[in-house]
Amino acid sequence: MEIPACDLKRQHLELAPELERAVAGVMASGRFVLGENVCRLEEELASYVGTKYAVGVANGTEGLILALEACGVGPGDEVITTAFSFFATAGAITRLGAKPVFVDVDPLDFNLAPQEIQARITPASKAIVPVHLYGKAAPMERILPIARRYGLKVVEDAAQALGATAGGTRLGSLGDAGVVSFYPTKNLGACGDGGMVFTSDPEIAGKVRFLRAHGSLKPHRHQVVGYNSRLDEIQAALLRVKLPRLARWTTRRQDIARLYQGHLKRAGLGLPRVGDGDHVFNRYTVTSPDRDELKAFLECQGIATEIYYPLGLHQQEALAYLGYRRGDFPMTERATGEVLSLPMFPELTDHEVARVSEAVLTFTRRRLTSHGGPAGRSLV
Ligand SMILES: *Cc1c(COP(=O)(O)O)cnc(C)c1O
């Protein structure tokens, strides 16, 4: 593809000498697990996100598992979450023997619709997992009061949203715990897997620390069966090189979103709102009823796009036992047929954004003439 959906090589090229020095430093230290780099990164990120504690873990999925377990979620509990997310959100809940209870999304931003939560609360409900999808804040100002009223824990899935804010406060610090992922395509990406759990609750932080190292505080003494889920020193050292650049990368993502918005505002597509800091654009996702044709057209023009996500979580084979049916979450199902994520990464040039936009406009204009109507409409 001439224009990839996400190109990690460009960022690496820019930082290669520094990254290589960081790796060499860890190699020379002989300390590969839970050393100084993990410890420092935890401090740096806790201060960035605005929590008292941060605990490095092996990946975002296990971060969710450990955070939920530390919040007391276990077998038989119900956890309310969105039907429209990456599989890991539901997978983590299921791994604990708990039951994911899905809620439909708001068609404006594809985040969990708060007005749908109340009807799903039962005596077995234990927690809510809002997902800040594509990097856009879920409506925490409405979710948190519901959780408080019913005594539910809130674990934010902020895997795509490190750096985004809600009401001026960083995501990941609003719930009882927040989880981010350092998967390479996330806004702060490692050169492999990694994740972090954020909390200001000393008990939750302590439990996550304990669980990530086999439920052990003293060598060879295990009070509970935990996990082996640690962030490693090499990834932490690499992330510490990248962290000071995160603010600049985030601004660039938001600038690219603004450029797309300018070019595409009359394309007849559903576009994400470019607001203040509440969206950090891990993905720039548009909607079109002709999504599959648009994707194929762009591919012919050398432009790669992605579909996040082609199925609702309730439609996943692995979760069929939950008994949901097609039609249960109409907004989610509509989104799965209409969403398309255009190329988005900080190193994408203005010229490339213009080229992608021109290709999109060529497609929508052709549709306009062949259909005699608008090529697409907003999802709302
Ligand atoms: C990436 C992602 C995760 C999982 O993170 P990993 O580090 O890949 O395990 C969880 N939830 C969402 C919404 C994600 O995008």
Side-chain angles (χ1 to χ4, degrees):
M1 281 291 153
E2 289 163 51
I3 306 185
C6 177
D7 185 352
L8 300 174
K9 292 194 294 287
R10 296 189 201 178
Q11 186 185 88
H12 188 77
L13 219 58
E14 189 188 320
L15 302 180
E18 264 186 86
L19 293 173
E20 282 158 19
R21 257 199 314 278
V23 173
V26 175
M27 303 290 271
S29 80
R31 180 83 197 241
F32 298 106
V33 174
L34 297 187
E36 181 176 332
N37 282 293
V38 170
C39 197
R40 287 278 169 80
L41 182 70
E42 287 175 345
E43 288 165 11
E44 289 160 6
L45 271 169
S47 122
Y48 177 80
V49 167
T51 53
K52 286 204 187 111
Y53 313 99
V55 186
V57 291
N59 53 65
T61 307
E62 294 190 349
L64 287 169
I65 295 174
L66 269 61
L68 285 165
E69 185 165 335
C71 283
V73 172
D77 292 333
E78 293 180 1
V79 178
I80 296 169
T81 192
T82 168
F84 193 52
S85 180
F86 179 54
F87 184 75
T89 311
I93 296 166
T94 309
R95 265 281 156 252
L96 289 167
K99 178 179 165 189
V101 173
F102 297 123
V103 169
D104 209 356
V105 294
D106 182 336
L108 258 182
D109 62 4
F110 311 108
N111 277 324
L112 170 157
Q115 68 274 16
E116 310 262 328
I117 294 176
Q118 204 134 341
R120 311 268 168 188
I121 295 176
T122 74
S125 304
K126 188 82 182 206
I128 303 176
V129 178
V131 179
H132 306 299
L133 200 70
Y134 305 139
K136 163 79 168 65
M140 297 303 286
E141 74 292 349
R142 296 186 55 195
I143 295 167
L144 292 169
I146 300 172
R148 236 174 272 127
R149 194 169 336 129
Y150 291 93
L152 306 177
K153 298 283 188 194
V154 174
V155 175
E156 298 175 70
D157 181 342
Q160 302 177 2
L162 181 60
T165 54
T169 306
R170 285 252 155 80
L171 302 184
S173 71
L174 293 149
D176 295 281
V179 178
V180 303
S181 161
F182 304 124
Y183 184 77
T185 60
K186 304 292 160 94
N187 287 23
L188 180 65
C191 301
D193 281 306
M196 198 160 282
V197 177
F198 296 92
T199 183
S200 289
D201 181 328
E203 202 175 316
I204 294 173
K207 278 191 185 154
V208 173
R209 260 178 218 291
F210 179 63
L211 288 171
R212 78 172 167 184
H214 294 294
S216 163
L217 290 177
K218 272 196 275 175
H220 307 296
R221 294 287 183 278
H222 302 268
Q223 288 97 319
V224 301
V225 179
Y227 304 79
N228 178 7
S229 184
R230 299 171 298 223
L231 182 64
D232 71 74
E233 279 290 294
I234 288 182
Q235 297 306 336
L238 293 167
L239 289 165
R240 290 186 66 213
V241 171
K242 293 187 177 193
L243 180 57
R245 273 99 174 176
L246 180 61
R248 179 162 58 79
W249 290 335
T250 300
T251 306
R252 177 63 189 156
R253 284 177 186 273
Q254 290 163 336
D255 287 345
I256 291 170
R258 229 168 267 119
L259 285 175
Y260 272 133
Q261 161 114 349
H263 290 306
L264 299 176
K265 59 178 178 270
R266 273 183 275 283
L269 302 171
L271 302 180
R273 197 179 54 79
V274 185
D276 34 34
D278 69 342
H279 202 331
V280 292
F281 293 97
N282 180 246
R283 310 289 179 198
Y284 184 85
T285 304
V286 303
T287 57
S288 164
D290 303 317
R291 190 265 316 275
D292 294 337
E293 293 87 340
L294 174 58
K295 181 173 176 44
F297 179 83
L298 292 174
E299 209 161 295
C300 287
Q301 310 284 311
I303 297 164
T305 58
E306 302 278 357
I307 297 171
Y308 303 105
Y309 298 92
L311 277 182
L313 293 173
H314 65 296
Q315 296 168 296
Q316 289 291 350
E317 189 184 335
L319 301 175
Y321 71 94
L322 292 170
Y324 289 104
R325 283 167 206 286
R326 196 172 173 80
D328 280 345
F329 303 107
M331 289 304 156
T332 295
E333 288 170 28
R334 187 161 162 189
T336 60
E338 297 193 346
V339 290
L340 188 67
S341 299
L342 302 182
M344 169 58 87
F345 51 97
E347 297 77 17
L348 194 68
T349 66
D350 289 7
H351 178 71
E352 286 172 313
V353 176
R355 254 211 64 203
V356 173
S357 305
E358 270 160 38
V360 171
L361 287 166
T362 304
F363 174 85
T364 55
R365 273 192 222 110
R366 277 192 204 167
R367 285 272 141 168
L368 197 68
T369 22
S370 67
H371 283 194
R377 66 197 138 57
S378 167
L379 200 58
V380 285

